[in-house]
Amino acid sequence: MLKKNEGVDIVKELGGIQTVEDAQALFEQRLDAEHLSRIRRLSHPEILIKIANAIAMCDPGRVYINTGTDADREFIRQLALNKGEEAVLAMDGHTIHYDLKEEQGRIIDRTYYIANPDEKISSLANKILRDDARTVVREKMAGIMNGATMVVGLYIRGPVGAAASNPALEITSSAYVSHSAEILYRNAFDDFEKEVERLGHFYTNVHSEGLNRPEDLPNARVFMDRSHRTTYSFNCTYAGNTLLLKKGNHRFSVDKAVYEGNGLELAEHMFITGIDGPDGRVTWVAGAAPSGCGKTTTAMAGNHFVGDDLAQMWIDENNSVRSINPECGIFGIVEDVNREGDPMLMDRLRNPGSEVIWSNVLIDEDGVPHWKGNGETLPTRGRNFHGPWKKGLLDAGGKEVPISHPNARCTIASSALTNYSDMAEAAEGVETRVITYSGRDSDTMPPVWVAKNSDHGVVIGACIVSAATATEVGATGVKRAPWANAPFIPGALGDYMKAQFDFFGNAAIADNKRPILAGLNYFLTHEARGGSGSKLLGEKKDVKAWLGWLERRAHGDVEAIETPIGFIPRYEDLKPLFETLIDKEYPKELYDRQFSLYIDNILARNELQVTAYGKEENIPQRLFDVLSEQRDGLIDLKNRFGPIVTPDQLLEG
């Protein structure tokens, strides 16, 4: 069990500020009159002491208290430009940020949970003992902001007033990080203390980019102190390592749900979108996928956009599952974003009227961003994440440098999107009736299938397997990606899995409001289904049809074919959905290729999971029971029909 406030609070010890009186004395010494007046609008002792200790430890040249006004936002944006962290582009409101070419993703090898002795940490994560972390933070962060401007922001991860929102401090010397926070999160200066009192906690994030030199990157670290819900990040600039409001605080939210949620709360790596159904019905869907595996595309396929990356979920007093997006913006991968697959996002990226921070794309000589897979004519020269670039440029290892990095991003407010839903700011959240799990699976699972019950649904999430993407530095190959959330699960996987079983199987959820749990996979390739080539067996836009079918299945409007892994669609239900939702013919031959069960592949996947989870401690027996039931059913099918079983054979029984 995770213990809160266990062990020394590192920033408090290194800063030396123990009382509100000490904090106020430091503010009077270090803040100018304007910002002293701002911080005096706050009175919560723990908040003031935390901010004061960050100042004392990092020793900035100036402290800027960001209250979220238009003037504050403009100051931060201009500071990013003045420091060279961003540069203006041709389109009004657009800027470009480049990370070091050696830091184009999360530095998972240098990211650690600060652990107390005998504290359980996820087997998929790194840990550092508290005393060792204190030594490193003292060595690397003491005085790290000398001469720099520290920006202090007070944010809420979720709508003000929501049951599952989380207040958080973002304290940084990077104007780019602060600028990104202003787009991606709700500045809640005026409501912050009220929300802290209501919810009983807040998170703290302390970051400095240091001197931002390649030689400093080996010494870059991201530390997450679960006991004191404080992150430390230094000598790095990529937002996944620095904007700890995002995945750093998501980890704390996972902890909170697992160890304090009592089966009534979850924190998930999920999009949230609303799907239009018959007769004006809107059905809300939340779905998990590893970073770089199509979450934004899937979220944008909905009619009512709430979020593309994170979800806080809870069971409300009306016995339904509710979801909110902790964020109010998109930090989205742009590779392969184009007008065919992502028309609404492209409209906002290619037309004026929106503030956008680009990162690690190519900027041509006219100040226009370009990226791989945008469906447009690409320039042959410009500047990108590698520096000056021209087509055919080779890196030091002799490998051709792509026009943009695979993890190049755009940062944009959700409200800029044409399918943005006002429900994104509703404190009551959205009633969630469909949960999906997916990854980059080229050869095993069908495009969509629905679990037989909540336990089977939890197992779908537990058994995601996905090709590695460029979101993590050094990641390669195909690997397990439980719930697409594994990198952000701080504690034991068995604890997290139990929380999933407890939540989705909770008797507090009314039967007529219980979500269906489903697998989603639009990465099947031709060569995996009897053809040739690695192109997708279908198109990205097909996800609209899969979501449309799930919407109808959630309300009992369509029947399905039962299989050992769950329920798959009937052809007669999918064909009209393709025609009405995406104006596309859907031949029976394609349906058969996509939804035939390749038994040996699925059995191998099943065995992979049994073996892997068999090495973990305290995994709920329900997982193994479900996998055993599925294995027996698949073997029976293979004995009757052979290694490839078609939907028609399944209907025969």
Side-chain angles (χ1 to χ4, degrees):
M1 178 65 69
L2 176 67
K3 295 180 180 178
K4 292 200 305 184
N5 301 317
E6 182 84 359
V8 65
D9 183 352
I10 292 173
V11 69
K12 190 172 184 180
E13 178 173 293
L14 299 185
I17 305 297
Q18 303 297 320
T19 67
V20 173
E21 291 74 22
D22 290 342
Q24 295 290 8
L26 180 137
F27 296 146
E28 290 181 12
Q29 178 186 1
R30 302 298 298 268
L31 274 62
D32 63 25
E34 168 61 26
H35 294 277
L36 182 61
S37 70
R38 295 182 182 193
I39 206 160
R40 281 179 171 164
R41 290 159 58 184
L42 305 175
S43 60
H44 193 289
E46 292 180 26
I47 296 169
L48 293 173
I49 290 170
K50 208 73 160 175
I51 294 171
N53 278 306
I55 295 170
M57 180 179 74
C58 297
D59 191 26
R62 180 188 183 191
V63 178
Y64 193 98
I65 307 299
N66 173 19
T67 61
T69 64
D70 290 343
D72 284 345
R73 289 176 66 105
E74 181 54 33
F75 170 84
I76 290 164
R77 183 177 185 274
Q78 194 58 50
L79 181 62
L81 297 173
N82 293 343
K83 289 180 63 181
E85 292 187 86
E86 298 177 39
V88 296
L89 296 178
M91 190 169 290
D92 185 47
H94 288 218
T95 57
I96 176 66
H97 164 81
Y98 288 114
D99 298 299
L100 295 169
K101 66 177 183 291
E102 300 88 354
E103 190 202 352
Q104 297 288 314
R106 283 184 279 114
I107 49 174
I108 54 175
D109 59 328
R110 284 153 284 172
T111 297
Y112 297 83
Y113 292 111
I114 296 174
N116 299 311
D118 301 323
E119 189 172 87
K120 293 289 186 182
I121 297 293
S122 169
S123 62
L124 303 178
N126 303 319
K127 77 173 183 177
I128 182 171
L129 292 176
R130 184 169 300 278
D131 287 347
D132 295 333
R134 174 174 50 188
T135 299
V136 176
V137 173
R138 177 187 288 115
E139 177 187 348
K140 301 298 183 184
M141 295 201 79
I144 195 171
M145 296 186 191
N146 188 264
T149 297
M150 171 190 279
V151 180
V152 179
L154 290 74
Y155 297 92
I156 185 82
R157 298 179 77 256
V160 170
S165 288
N166 293 292
L169 299 173
E170 183 75 27
I171 302 172
T172 180
S173 62
S174 169
Y176 159 68
V177 167
S178 190
H179 186 193
S180 299
E182 285 297 303
I183 296 174
L184 292 171
Y185 297 93
R186 302 159 181 89
N187 190 304
F189 185 88
D190 292 333
D191 295 305
F192 193 80
E193 290 190 316
K194 178 186 68 177
E195 289 295 277
V196 170
E197 290 290 347
R198 180 177 69 87
L199 295 161
H201 73 280
F202 65 94
Y203 306 149
T204 302
N205 306 289
V206 186
H207 163 259
S208 176
E209 76 275 28
L211 297 176
N212 193 23
R213 304 175 303 185
E215 57 263 36
D216 297 323
L217 268 175
N219 295 317
R221 294 292 185 276
V222 179
F223 291 147
M224 288 161 290
D225 186 344
R226 302 165 65 204
S227 292
H228 295 277
R229 290 175 174 166
T230 300
T231 69
Y232 305 89
S233 170
F234 48 90
N235 292 332
C236 45
T237 67
Y238 170 67
N241 304 319
T242 61
L243 184 61
L244 276 307
L245 275 165
K246 194 170 180 67
K247 296 298 170 58
N249 290 173
H250 175 57
R251 291 166 164 98
F252 295 158
S253 297
V254 170
D255 263 345
K256 181 173 172 289
V258 170
Y259 297 108
E260 300 175 33
N262 299 315
L264 298 170
E265 183 179 342
L266 291 179
E268 298 302 305
H269 193 204
M270 288 182 172
F271 67 80
I272 306 170
T273 197
I275 307 297
D276 285 340
D279 302 320
R281 181 176 70 203
V282 177
T283 300
W284 295 96
V285 180
S291 297
C293 293
K295 273 207 315 302
T296 300
T297 294
T298 308
M300 292 297 293
N303 307 99
H304 309 276
F305 180 91
V306 168
D308 77 321
D309 194 37
L310 299 175
Q312 295 287 135
M313 310 176 76
W314 73 99
I315 302 170
D316 73 356
E317 63 278 5
N318 296 316
N319 309 108
S320 65
V321 173
R322 314 296 297 194
S323 300
I324 56 169
N325 179 11
E327 304 178 300
C328 57
I330 292 174
F331 177 61
I333 292 173
V334 292
E335 182 163 306
D336 294 330
V337 168
N338 52 56
R339 294 189 184 279
E340 181 179 356
D342 306 275
M344 285 180 283
L345 182 56
M346 282 293 288
D347 175 70
R348 293 295 79 220
L349 296 178
R350 281 310 195 205
N351 291 301
S354 303
E355 183 178 14
V356 180
I357 305 174
W358 297 88
S359 62
N360 305 317
V361 294
L362 179 124
I363 305 300
D364 69 17
E365 294 169 336
D366 296 320
V368 177
H370 299 271
W371 60 95
K372 181 181 177 183
N374 66 7
E376 301 169 344
T377 301
L378 297 177
T380 57
R381 62 179 61 247
R383 182 175 182 83
N384 69 3
F385 66 98
H386 202 270
W389 178 90
K390 63 179 180 180
K391 187 175 178 60
L393 176 71
L394 304 180
D395 63 19
K399 186 177 180 180
E400 185 171 346
V401 178
I403 189 170
S404 61
H405 193 274
N407 197 27
R409 302 268 184 161
C410 66
T411 302
I412 185 172
S414 299
S415 57
L417 304 172
T418 55
N419 62 338
Y420 169 75
S421 171
D422 290 340
M423 290 300 294
E425 294 303 321
E428 69 271 22
V430 295
E431 182 180 335
T432 308
R433 296 296 305 275
V434 179
I435 306 290
T436 70
Y437 300 98
S438 59
R440 284 184 177 268
D441 177 1
S442 65
D443 61 6
T444 301
M445 304 306 285
V448 63
W449 72 104
V450 171
K452 295 181 179 181
N453 55 46
S454 64
D455 281 359
H456 280 247
V458 170
V459 172
I460 292 176
C463 294
I464 293 174
V465 170
S466 184
T469 69
T471 59
E472 297 178 341
V473 174
T476 58
V478 176
K479 61 181 183 178
R480 295 169 59 243
W483 298 280
N485 211 16
F488 318 116
I489 300 172
L493 283 178
D495 294 344
Y496 179 87
M497 188 183 296
K498 180 179 183 302
Q500 296 283 320
F501 281 124
D502 290 349
F503 182 89
F504 287 112
N506 200 312
I509 305 173
D511 287 341
N512 64 341
K513 297 180 179 180
R514 191 173 298 277
I516 62 169
L517 284 76
L520 194 63
N521 177 31
Y522 52 87
F523 290 98
L524 277 177
T525 63
H526 283 271
E527 61 190 0
R529 288 294 187 265
S532 60
S534 59
K535 290 186 64 175
L536 295 182
L537 186 62
E539 301 174 272
K540 285 202 303 183
K541 68 180 183 180
D542 295 353
V543 71
K544 284 182 175 287
W546 313 137
L547 292 175
W549 182 78
L550 288 171
E551 192 279 337
R552 286 148 180 83
R553 180 67 183 171
H555 295 279
D557 294 348
V558 291
E559 298 297 323
I561 302 170
E562 185 172 358
T563 82
I565 62 169
F567 298 98
I568 62 173
R570 301 181 305 175
Y571 176 68
E572 56 265 35
D573 294 322
L574 283 180
K575 188 176 187 295
L577 289 174
F578 270 82
E579 293 171 351
T580 58
L581 296 179
I582 56 175
D583 191 24
K584 179 178 175 179
E585 288 293 321
Y586 186 58
K588 177 68 160 50
E589 183 268 339
L590 177 57
Y591 166 80
D592 287 339
R593 292 173 68 192
Q594 289 179 324
F595 285 95
S596 290
L597 300 185
Y598 280 59
I599 303 294
D600 291 335
N601 288 5
I602 303 175
L603 285 172
R605 182 72 54 82
N606 184 294
E607 182 61 29
L608 169 73
Q609 302 293 347
V610 170
T611 300
Y613 281 115
K615 298 175 183 177
E616 298 279 349
E617 296 181 5
N618 299 319
I619 296 296
Q621 181 60 37
R622 278 182 281 182
L623 173 99
F624 299 107
D625 292 344
V626 169
L627 290 174
S628 177
E629 176 188 331
Q630 291 181 353
R631 179 180 180 276
D632 291 347
L634 290 164
I635 290 173
D636 179 64
L637 279 181
K638 182 178 179 179
N639 289 337
R640 286 191 288 147
F641 299 112
I644 301 173
V645 182
T646 67
D648 288 342
Q649 288 173 319
L650 289 164
L651 284 170
E652 292 173 12

